[in-house]
Amino acid sequence: MGKTLVVVESPAKAKTIKKYLGTGYEVLASKGHVKDLPKKMGIDIDKGFQETYEVVPGKEKVLAELKSAAKEANDILLATDPDREGEAIAWHLAEELTGKPNKAKRVEFHEITKNGVERGVASPRALDQHLYDAQRARRVLDRIVGYDVSALVWTKLAFGLSAGRVQSVALRLIVDREREIEAFVPEEYWNIGAQLAKIEKNGGKKQPFAARLAQQNGKKVEVKNGEVAARIKRDLEGAAYRIAKVTKSERKRKPYAPYTTSKLQQDAVNRLGFGAKRTMQVAQGLYEGVDLGKDGGAVGLITYMRTDSTRVSPEALQGAREYIAQQYGKSTLPADPNVFKSKKSAQDAHEAIRPTLLDHPPEVVKKHLKDEQFKIYKLIWDRFIASQMNDAIFDQTSVDIEASAKHTDASYTLRATGRVLKSAGWLEVYGAADSTQAGDSDDAKADATKEPDEDAATLPELVEGESLELVVPPGVLAEQKFTQPPARYNEGSLVRELEERGIGRPSTYAEIISKVQARDYVEKIDGRSFRPTMLGKMVVDGLVNSELDFMDPTFTSSMELELDAVEAGSEGRVALLSRFYKKFRQQLDKSKKGKRWNPEPEPTGEVCEMCGPKSEDAKLRALGPGEMMKRWSKNGWFLGCSNYPKCKNTRDLGPDGTGAAKPREAGIDCDKCGKPMVIRSGRYGEFLACTGYPQCKNARPVPLGVACPKCGGDIIEVRSKKKGGKTFYGCSRYNDETVKCDFKLWQKPLNEPCPACGAKFLVMAGTKAKPIIACADKECGYKRSADKPASSIAHSLDQLDQEGAAAAAI
């Protein structure tokens, strides 16, 4: 008697499912797609956009094994991932294994557990033509735009460049944000605050607290310049302070919904530093199954990780409530389960991302997980458990303080706020004392304008009418600030923007982000934020000026809705593609008639050193002196001789043209020929080059001015030319055959001795948001803020609460 053949996508998933199904089933993996469009277009427009699919190169052996098993099987169950892409893989497998799609059955596993697998096998269905057509339509749209628009970019800018239907829109968002930053004009403003305390009788201990200026003469005050700030500071330093109003209220903070794909990606970026693609790879592994040892075996730890729904099954809700009651007490449970609304555009095909079984807490299974798996699993676990707990409740106090200036008629109002956690509720999952770890990406966005710890301070008991006094130091502090431009997108905020605009779907966010980065259209600043390159700006400007509809984010969003309509069966695949293609061809043909997108060459006034009277080559001498012109190629800006192509002299200026036409003196002689070396700018940054070029082509990195502590050589920056390669700082003698010094640092050294231990240099450390200067010797422990000088560190308003707490402890 033949077995039932079950085909899944990955070998890991096959192994886990085989354990649950037993001997009556054979479980094999297709290892992803077995068929795809060829490298050429592969689409017949005139025949209803009919595709030509071919076996994916390298999949012949896998397909032969599957066909052999299919011949011996009684039934074939196609258990590829439960989404459009999985439906397309299942359809192609059915065609190859049976000849007709309706001869195979489709099953879906939303979680790889014993119950989840048994439920899926017990509920087979026919392959879904509408779901497959939606995937086909997206694939054809992407292929048409990718081929035709890439060809346009080649002719208008440079050969070898490419463009994509959705990726180009994502790139436009990055470019538009950069233009906002470039156009931003900072405005000066001043924060003014004071450290105050109750006037204690009989020498009682003071309890200082911070208050900020809110009003002047009963009206909201905005201080825009130093003169006004200085006047207000003088008034406040001589003012009498009295508590005018104390307001106490109860505030609630609701738990967040369980993770959707986009929210998981955002939090993984912001809290763990994981990219969207890496996050999904780790989550895929948790979904497919992890070996928990002999007793547990392989088990899927989370539900399917591509979803835009916050829905949770009744069984999972009940399990969560039982776990919470046991672990945190019944008092932490709401009377009824918390229910969260999904976005209007959510397909709701799958549950939210949650743990499959609550008898596998992160700390218990940690020893079986890789570090990145544990971190993602804990994010998902904590979010799900917290989502079904009570609100966190705070007692919040707001105090208005009247400050009457003694020598002027001015009256000021300062405001102090504080809160005390009354009931932790869902924050207990994260540790009630550290509620910052329990935030949500949307919450962080909404609170971006709040001052640090604005509501978190604890205030002493204050009564209306009481007098207060200044605590000196710091007394009154006026701090100059400037408004900041909008932040550049990182992977998390770009995913959020795509989701909010309705661009892409849970299954495509990571792919969109990955493709944006794969081209030289953007670069990551500090390994985090996206900044478009000049090439990226030119591509976007050219496509936008060509008035191609697909570059409009609103158009792309509406296309997603139309693809959803195809999936629902209310829109025909061919009708959608025909409507799009007719207008697309008209716009594309019109755009081909315009001029090229790259900038015209610019004269620099610099004479070419390779041709003209000084040249040693008679043919180049006969040309006469050429002028070095600033030109652009897809690799960046460069200088090229006006006598090109007869004179091929060029010099790289880097991707954005920041290299100066005239090199800078370095004060270093060439170690090969003895001529002076100069500092030039190239694609990979600044470097030392010999002035004897082209006869002497010696070039080397620029020293950082810090001596190697190991051998006395120069420490230099070593930048990998590989995409994604890490920069480090090492000794210039690492390639020296006689010395071979292996000294290496991951943090940039600074030519400044450590004031604590006397070490010869310090290093740049910390994060982008909070950079610090520290001693390289960890045992020393010296560190300071990167924006503070070594000699004196000024007080700031952000330190008032900490200073008050310290004073109170004395």
Side-chain angles (χ1 to χ4, degrees), residues 197-350:
K198 295 168 63 174
I199 299 175
E200 300 290 348
K201 298 178 181 179
N202 303 321
K205 187 166 60 176
K206 295 179 180 179
Q207 298 181 53
F209 62 93
R212 294 176 182 274
L213 178 66
Q215 294 181 344
Q216 180 178 357
N217 298 328
K219 296 181 180 179
K220 183 178 178 180
V221 60
E222 293 183 353
V223 183
K224 298 291 188 180
N225 61 68
E227 291 181 3
V228 174
R231 175 176 54 78
I232 294 175
K233 184 174 184 290
R234 285 194 302 270
D235 284 352
L236 292 178
E237 285 174 336
Y241 294 88
R242 184 184 69 86
I243 298 175
K245 184 179 180 182
V246 177
T247 305
K248 294 185 177 181
S249 61
E250 186 178 88
R251 294 288 183 90
K252 293 183 179 181
R253 188 175 175 193
K254 294 183 178 296
Y256 299 110
Y259 278 126
T260 59
T261 301
S262 67
K263 290 292 188 292
L264 175 61
Q265 290 173 349
Q266 290 167 46
D267 275 3
V269 169
N270 295 330
R271 297 188 200 170
L272 305 179
F274 290 5
K277 183 177 181 181
R278 181 185 179 192
T279 299
M280 296 311 290
Q281 288 172 339
V282 175
Q284 181 91 35
L286 294 172
Y287 161 71
E288 291 178 350
V290 177
D291 191 343
L292 300 181
K294 292 182 180 180
D295 295 332
V299 61
L301 292 178
I302 65 171
T303 53
Y304 192 57
M305 63 287 159
R306 295 186 181 95
T307 178
D308 53 9
S309 173
T310 58
R311 176 176 58 83
V312 175
S313 70
E315 297 83 2
L317 285 177
Q318 184 59 34
R321 290 176 65 81
E322 292 173 0
Y323 177 86
I324 291 166
Q326 182 181 2
Q327 292 294 318
Y328 299 100
K330 292 183 179 180
S331 62
T332 63
L333 276 173
D336 298 305
N338 293 328
V339 178
F340 302 90
K341 291 183 179 180
S342 298
K343 289 184 178 259
K344 289 183 180 180
S345 59
Q347 295 176 300
D348 212 40
H350 313 296

Side-chain angles (χ1 to χ4, degrees), residues 2-63:
K3 295 184 177 182
T4 296
L5 173 63
V6 180
V7 184
V8 297
E9 289 184 45
S10 79
K13 191 174 173 182
K15 182 180 177 182
T16 308
I17 291 171
K18 172 63 178 173
K19 180 189 72 170
Y20 295 130
L21 291 179
T23 56
Y25 294 84
E26 183 173 8
V27 186
L28 298 176
S30 70
K31 299 180 181 178
H33 282 274
V34 293
K35 293 167 69 174
D36 200 0
L37 294 173
K39 288 187 176 181
K40 59 180 184 292
M41 176 68 89
I43 299 166
D44 193 328
I45 307 292
D46 297 329
K47 292 184 179 179
F49 300 89
Q50 185 62 48
E51 312 98 314
T52 299
Y53 286 102
E54 297 178 352
V55 175
V56 175
K59 286 294 183 70
E60 295 84 1
K61 185 176 179 180
V62 172
L63 197 52

Side-chain angles (χ1 to χ4, degrees), residues 94 299 402 414 449 506 511 530 534 579 652 787:
V299 61
E402 183 182 279
L414 284 77
T449 59
E511 178 191 12
F530 292 131
M534 181 117 183
R579 188 168 58 252
D652 196 357
D787 59 356

